[in-house]
Amino acid sequence: MTGLVTGETVLPLLRAGRWYRSLDTVPVPGGPLLSLAPEILVRDDGARLRARRAATTVPPRDRRLELLREAVALFRHGRVPVEALGVQDAGDFEEAMRATAGLPPALVRRWSAMLGERLEELAKEAADESGGLTLVSLPANTFTCLEGVLEAALSGAAVWIRPSRREPLSSARLVGALLSVGWPPETLGYYPSAPRTLPAMIRATDRQIVYGGDGLAAEPALATPSLDLRGPGRACVIVGAREPVDPEDLADRIARDAGRFCTSASTVVCLRAAEADALKVAAVLDGISLDPPDPRRPQASWAEADAARMAAFVSERLAPGGRVLTRRPLLVRSGGMTFLAPTLVHVDDVGHPLVGCELPFPLAVVVSTDEAGARGVAAGSRFVHPARFATVPEVPEVPEGASS
């Protein structure tokens, strides 16, 4: 494979161990067409898998772990046959992710390495032999969420992968790697689908790992005890009244990994006047090179229309009481690419519409408040980086390297 295949190339479904080209397709931005699974096919395949479950076997756990290690190593470094797209080496994958998701190669390599690290963490955890059929519904913001696939496969479950329609290529490469190392194909499914099909996929499976933001979190169909909803994070930083501020460290928590993780800090709460410190953080964010990518904090490029929509979203919610502290325009065009620059905003109170707003690029809001206001922000956050005073309610602090 010399580059990303586009045009009439169709990335198919994987069902019952065989590839299947659906009549319903959507274009992947900058990439091929993507087959979509209709609801009736999802229902039928779920029923068929349940009927023949006794005949569907997975290897013992030690062998599963061995195969997963081989597959992740192949995903990271090897030549992987990706159905309909051809044999794809690591460089081809990096180019595909740049063309479709705007990810610079350094970020692709970092996230790929994180998958290997996460697998080793899973290997140390208590054995989960849940079995059954697990759905893993993936987001477009980061392919590190493929850790959900590794987790489900290690548990001995048959796994249905529902990739993002905007970024299906990383999961297609992982499926190719799994099949290449000998993973039983009948225990693996690749089911891209429209949003309206997700409830049927939930009903057809025994367990679900679903990644998504605020809109998905509000869906009534997700209110089931078998579902593990991962995200949104609305991660915040709380700076105490006498705590020194390290501008480099704070900028890193905002801009690392292109702001794509649910652990990326989106609100900075200060128990003192914050603007002087915030201006120092803003200067660090302004110093992050977009083109060429900053070696420490490489940023993703965007499709022009998507970037314009995101910039308009921020601008509409900025007033009243909001002021941009970073000096670069939010929308930056360079070398034929469009970026959303790392941005820091100062607001007057914790009720501002941008406080707690989680966006897929580095945007953080700084607000000064008292302990009661800080507790309110922390209570609405899944992650706190780090809690700086004892009266904040217990909220998980962000571990190093966390992505979701």
Side-chain angles (χ1 to χ4, degrees), residues 52-69:
R52 63 187 299 271
R53 183 167 294 171
T56 302
T57 58
V58 295
R61 189 178 193 275
D62 287 349
R63 178 57 178 159
R64 295 198 300 269
L65 179 56
E66 180 183 349
L67 289 174
L68 287 173
R69 282 172 170 155

Side-chain angles (χ1 to χ4, degrees), residues 234-236 250-251 253-256 258-261 264-268 281 285 288 299 302 310-315 317-318 323-326 329-331 340-347 352-366:
R234 291 186 287 271
C236 70
L250 194 46
R253 295 177 188 275
I254 295 166
R256 184 173 48 188
R260 295 293 184 93
F261 290 179
S264 299
S266 58
T267 304
V268 180
V281 177
L285 294 176
I288 294 174
Q299 300 300 304
W302 287 69
M310 192 65 67
F313 176 92
V314 174
S315 297
R317 286 156 180 78
L318 186 60
R323 185 163 61 89
V324 178
L325 300 180
T326 36
L330 183 58
L331 206 62
L340 290 165
T343 299
L344 193 65
V345 173
H346 184 274
V347 301
H352 191 278
L354 286 178
V355 171
C357 187
E358 186 176 272
L359 300 174
F361 77 100
L363 182 138
V365 174
V366 177

Side-chain angles (χ1 to χ4, degrees), residues 105-389:
L107 202 51
V108 174
R109 291 191 289 271
R110 169 173 159 78
W111 289 359
S112 297
M114 289 178 72
L115 278 180
E117 293 164 5
R118 178 58 182 148
L119 178 59
E120 294 311 311
E121 292 171 1
L122 290 169
K124 296 173 185 175
E125 295 176 3
D128 173 12
E129 297 292 334
S130 57
L133 172 59
T134 295
L135 167 69
V136 182
S137 183
L138 297 165
N141 57 311
T142 168
F143 66 79
T144 58
C145 291
L146 288 170
E147 68 181 37
V149 176
L150 304 180
E151 177 186 333
L154 188 58
S155 76
V159 185
W160 279 7
I161 301 168
R162 179 180 181 263
S164 163
R165 294 188 300 166
R166 297 183 61 81
E167 197 289 274
L169 300 186
S170 58
S171 50
R173 179 172 172 84
L174 181 60
V175 168
L178 285 165
L179 295 175
S180 293
V181 301
W183 195 269
E186 68 277 6
T187 69
L188 197 60
Y190 186 76
Y191 287 85
S193 70
R196 64 179 179 275
T197 310
L198 180 57
M201 300 188 80
I202 291 172
R203 291 191 295 270
T205 52
D206 301 304
R207 180 179 174 237
Q208 305 83 26
I209 299 172
V210 177
Y211 295 87
D214 288 309
L216 197 58
E219 286 290 330
L222 303 189
T224 171
S226 63
L227 189 143
D228 179 1
L229 178 61
R230 301 184 178 181
R234 291 186 287 271
C236 70
V237 178
I238 298 176
V239 180
R242 291 174 294 278
E243 290 289 340
V245 173
D246 181 341
E248 287 283 344
D249 176 73
L250 194 46
D252 195 55
R253 295 177 188 275
I254 295 166
R256 184 173 48 188
D257 295 299
R260 295 293 184 93
F261 290 179
C262 64
T263 54
S264 299
S266 58
T267 304
V268 180
V269 181
C270 297
L271 297 179
R272 63 169 184 257
E275 192 159 349
D277 289 326
L279 286 171
K280 296 176 185 177
V281 177
V284 177
L285 294 176
D286 279 329
I288 294 174
S289 175
L290 303 177
D291 179 26
D294 187 298
R296 288 182 58 195
R297 307 177 184 108
Q299 300 300 304
S301 61
W302 287 69
E304 177 78 22
D306 291 340
R309 275 195 300 271
M310 192 65 67
F313 176 92
V314 174
S315 297
E316 290 165 3
R317 286 156 180 78
L318 186 60
R323 185 163 61 89
V324 178
L325 300 180
T326 36
R327 292 181 173 273
R328 276 188 294 202
L330 183 58
L331 206 62
V332 176
R333 297 174 181 88
S334 176
M337 296 180 289
T338 302
F339 296 90
L340 290 165
T343 299
L344 193 65
V345 173
H346 184 274
V347 301
D348 291 340
D349 65 80
V350 293
H352 191 278
L354 286 178
V355 171
C357 187
E358 186 176 272
L359 300 174
F361 77 100
L363 182 138
V365 174
V366 177
V367 60
S368 297
T369 187
D370 57 14
E371 291 197 5
R375 282 195 296 271
V377 174
S381 304
R382 188 176 173 192
F383 300 104
V384 173
H385 297 252
R388 293 292 195 183
F389 58 105

